[in-house]
């Protein structure tokens, strides 16, 4: 085995061992590692001067010994503080602390390996909204802070980030899925697209395996440094994510729409919501209830409005009128999908007017160029405004509409 990259070479492989003499297991250095000092320092697998850092997981000694680097343990604390030579504390919610951390590390190396484990971050909080917010502070927001600070410092040639989760992927079908940490998947994919010198890997373990089994799998994956960006370990087996083009057959998969059924569309005045409403109206005469967060032109002013204006609202009014001409009833309510009390009032009114609700479509969300920001401009508020509809709204829908399970 090469003492630097741990790669195994057969002793009788002539191209590798040609002109080598005095070889032993303790001093063999493969041809890939016999590089110039400059190339060695830049090589991901064989650099021995980098200083990776990690959050507490108990892997430091094993990984450090196998990969030839030193580990700097970064723990959660009240602020940036040197605890010992190989331990630093930072406030994980303070972006400035990450700047201080990487400013220190840039003086020692230009290559970083970062291990970010989220496997011990499961909260016992009963409130689903609070539990989700806590998970983002430990996972997604911390990963985004790291990327933002690295870009700000802009002093590293190469950074490799391994994000470790538990039961985020449905691999073998018996996982108790951890949806709160699933948001890191997007960050792992997007960060390297914006910052090409940062490489992210997502490693998913499972609660069904013992801590020792998970630790062994993590050490093995971390040391190998394969080019697979998303991997999962389940009971001794390693799974890799890949995509295949498949032809879908839609025969016999049409869902049943009721004549005179009642369907509630959240984000109903958006392009997707109106498209779904039109599809329902084309198939059956239904009661279509559109829920929108912002106010809309009162029905009594629709005709006058489209005569005076040719803006986006006028186009929406014409779309609504075309749906009504097909024979369906359309009604608009204003409320925030994340407002549980507001949803209760809307649900009560709908049931008083139309009876049982048969279907719900969730298309609420924020779209447009102003809703997307680069990492260097990112703040937690940018995520929170999207989570309001996509996550908190989903929890509210579950509490208000889905517990009685009257939907088709």
């Amino acid at each position: 085995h090469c003492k630097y990259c741990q790669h195994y070479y057969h002793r009788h492989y002539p191209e590798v061992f040609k002109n080598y003499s005095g070889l032993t297991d303790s001093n063999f250095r493969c041809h890939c590692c016999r590089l110039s000092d400059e190339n060695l320092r830049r090589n991901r697998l064989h650099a021995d001067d980098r200083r990776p850092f990690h959050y507490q997981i108990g892997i430091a000694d094993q990984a450090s010994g196998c990969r030839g680097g030193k580990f700097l343990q970064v723990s959660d604390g009240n602020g940036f503080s040197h605890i010992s030579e190989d331990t630093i504390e930072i406030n994980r919610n303070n972006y400035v602390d990450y700047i201080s951390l990487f400013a220190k590390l840039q003086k020692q190396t230009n290559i970083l390996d970062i291990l970010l484990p989220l496997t011990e971050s499961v909260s016992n909080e009963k409130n689903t909204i609070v539990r989700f917010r806590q998970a983002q502070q430990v996972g997604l927001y911390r990963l985004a802070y790291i990327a933002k600070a690295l870009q700000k410092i802009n002093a590293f040639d190469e950074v490799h980030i391994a994000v470790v989760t538990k039961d985020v992927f449905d691999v073998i079908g018996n996982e108790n899925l951890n949806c709160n940490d699933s948001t890191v998947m997007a960050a792992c994919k997007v960060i390297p697209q914006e910052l090409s010198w940062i490489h992210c890997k997502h490693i998913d373990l499972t609660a069904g395996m013992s801590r020792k089994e998970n630790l062994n799998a993590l050490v093995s994956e971390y040391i190998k440094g394969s080019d697979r960006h998303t991997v999962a370990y389940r009971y001794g087996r390693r799974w890799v994510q890949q995509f295949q083009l498949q032809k879908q057959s839609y025969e016999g998969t049409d869902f049943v729409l009721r004549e005179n059924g009642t369907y509630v569309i959240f984000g109903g005045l958006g392009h997707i919501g109106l498209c779904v409403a039109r599809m329902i109206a084309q198939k059956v005469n239904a009661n279509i209830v559109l829920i929108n967060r912002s106010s809309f032109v009162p029905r009594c002013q629709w005709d006058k409005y489209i005569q005076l204006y040719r803006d986006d609202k006028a186009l929406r009014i014409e779309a609504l009128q075309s749906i009504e001409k097909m024979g369906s009833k359309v009604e608009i309510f204003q409320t925030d999908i994340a407002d549980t009390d507001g949803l209760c009032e809307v649900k009560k009114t709908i049931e008083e007017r139309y009876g049982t609700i048969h279907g719900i479509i969730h298309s609420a969300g924020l779209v447009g160029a102003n809703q997307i920001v680069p990492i260097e401009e990112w703040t937690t508020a940018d995520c929170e405004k999207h989570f309001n509809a996509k996550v908190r709204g989903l929890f509210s829908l579950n509490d208000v509409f889905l517990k009685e399970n009257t939907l088709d």
Side-chain angles (χ1 to χ4, degrees):
H1 287 80
C2 173
K3 62 177 293 188
Y4 290 91
C5 69
Q6 297 296 305
H7 191 84
Y8 178 80
Y9 292 92
H10 196 279
R11 287 184 175 276
H12 299 291
Y13 191 57
E15 293 184 20
V16 174
F17 292 97
K18 184 173 63 176
N19 299 327
Y20 278 55
S21 61
L23 291 178
T24 67
D25 286 339
S26 61
N27 68 8
F28 170 58
R29 191 177 188 180
C30 73
H31 65 291
C32 293
C33 291
R34 296 169 67 87
L35 305 172
S36 66
D37 291 339
E38 177 64 16
N39 287 337
L40 178 62
R41 189 166 62 89
R42 293 176 180 271
N43 188 282
R44 182 168 94 86
L45 290 180
H46 316 308
D48 52 11
D49 65 342
R50 59 192 168 193
R51 286 187 61 87
F53 79 91
H54 76 116
Y55 289 82
Q56 291 183 347
I57 195 172
I59 190 178
D61 292 338
Q62 298 182 54
S64 177
C66 292
R67 296 190 67 162
K70 296 180 179 179
F71 260 75
L72 176 66
Q73 178 171 302
V74 181
S75 304
D76 296 327
N78 295 324
F80 184 81
S81 175
H82 288 267
I83 304 302
S84 65
E85 181 181 356
D86 57 359
T87 303
I88 289 179
E89 277 191 359
I90 66 170
N91 182 345
R92 68 184 180 208
N93 297 318
N94 187 353
Y95 168 61
V96 176
D97 282 4
Y98 293 89
I99 294 289
S100 302
L101 172 64
F102 294 128
K104 171 182 171 58
L105 293 178
Q106 71 170 330
K107 301 176 182 178
Q108 304 174 29
T109 181
N110 66 341
I111 297 177
L112 281 180
D113 279 338
I114 300 175
L115 180 61
L116 183 62
L118 310 183
T119 53
E120 307 298 328
S121 64
V122 179
S123 171
N124 294 323
E125 173 63 46
K126 294 183 179 181
N127 186 296
T128 53
I129 300 295
V130 175
R131 190 163 64 245
F132 175 80
R133 186 182 297 115
Q134 291 174 346
Q136 305 322 300
Q137 292 173 347
V138 174
L140 174 64
Y141 294 166
R142 186 156 56 173
L143 179 57
Y145 277 137
I146 288 172
K148 183 177 179 179
L150 286 170
Q151 184 183 32
K152 178 71 173 179
I153 293 294
N154 195 25
F156 300 97
D157 293 341
E158 207 171 326
V159 177
H160 297 266
I161 304 175
V163 180
V164 187
T165 58
K166 187 176 288 185
D167 290 319
V168 163
F169 292 102
D170 183 3
V171 179
I172 58 178
N174 66 352
E175 295 93 343
N176 183 16
L177 292 179
N178 172 22
C179 299
N180 290 333
D181 285 339
S182 64
T183 52
V184 299
M185 288 190 292
C188 286
K189 292 180 179 179
V190 171
I191 287 172
Q193 294 175 10
E194 292 193 35
L195 308 174
S196 60
W197 45 276
I198 297 181
H199 310 274
C200 292
K201 170 179 280 194
H202 185 182
I203 306 171
D204 192 47
L205 308 177
T206 180
M209 294 165 56
S210 68
R211 182 180 179 86
K212 182 178 180 180
E213 289 174 322
N214 276 325
L215 185 59
N216 289 338
L218 176 56
V219 172
S220 176
E221 183 67 34
Y222 187 67
I223 293 170
K224 288 177 180 177
S226 68
D227 57 356
R228 296 287 188 175
H229 298 298
T230 305
V231 300
Y233 281 85
R234 298 292 187 270
Y235 306 101
R237 295 198 173 187
R238 179 178 183 267
W239 300 76
V240 297
Q241 185 185 59
Q242 58 185 359
F243 299 91
Q244 294 179 340
L245 182 63
Q246 294 182 332
K247 293 183 178 180
Q248 295 288 342
S249 174
Y250 296 98
E251 295 180 4
T253 59
D254 287 346
F255 57 91
V256 177
L257 290 171
R258 293 174 180 255
E259 193 73 24
N260 296 318
T262 300
Y263 300 96
V264 181
I265 305 176
F266 289 88
L269 291 177
H271 294 296
I272 295 176
L274 287 174
C275 183
V276 174
R278 187 180 301 110
M279 181 273 295
I280 294 175
Q282 288 172 346
K283 292 182 177 290
V284 295
N285 292 328
N287 305 309
I288 301 175
V289 180
L290 307 179
I291 310 294
N292 209 56
R293 183 171 57 89
S294 56
S295 60
F296 193 65
V297 181
R299 178 183 290 271
C300 61
Q301 299 178 15
W302 283 4
D303 292 335
K304 182 178 181 180
Y305 191 94
I306 59 178
Q307 291 177 358
L308 296 176
Y309 306 100
R310 295 307 302 166
D311 57 6
D312 195 52
K313 286 185 178 180
L315 296 176
R316 283 176 167 78
I317 292 173
E318 291 178 345
L320 294 172
Q321 290 177 333
S322 67
I323 291 173
E324 290 184 327
K325 289 179 180 179
M326 297 179 193
S328 291
K329 297 179 182 178
V330 176
E331 188 161 3
I332 301 173
F333 288 92
Q334 179 187 355
T335 191
D336 191 329
I337 190 175
D339 180 4
T340 303
D341 293 336
L343 290 185
C344 289
E345 291 295 324
V346 168
K347 179 175 181 285
K348 180 180 179 181
T349 303
I350 294 173
E351 291 177 335
E352 288 176 350
R353 296 182 185 179
Y354 303 111
T356 302
I357 297 173
H358 301 105
I360 292 177
I361 294 91
H362 180 4
S363 63
L366 301 176
V367 297
N370 60 339
Q371 303 299 336
I372 302 173
V373 296
I375 291 174
E376 63 184 25
E377 300 175 11
W378 172 88
T379 65
T380 57
D382 294 310
C383 288
E384 290 294 326
K385 63 184 181 181
H386 287 281
F387 289 151
N388 188 67
K390 293 302 184 184
V391 179
R392 298 184 188 92
L394 197 61
F395 288 138
S396 297
L397 284 182
N398 181 67
D399 292 339
V400 177
F401 287 91
L402 305 183
K403 286 187 175 181
E404 296 177 2
N405 199 26
T406 60
L407 303 178
D408 289 344

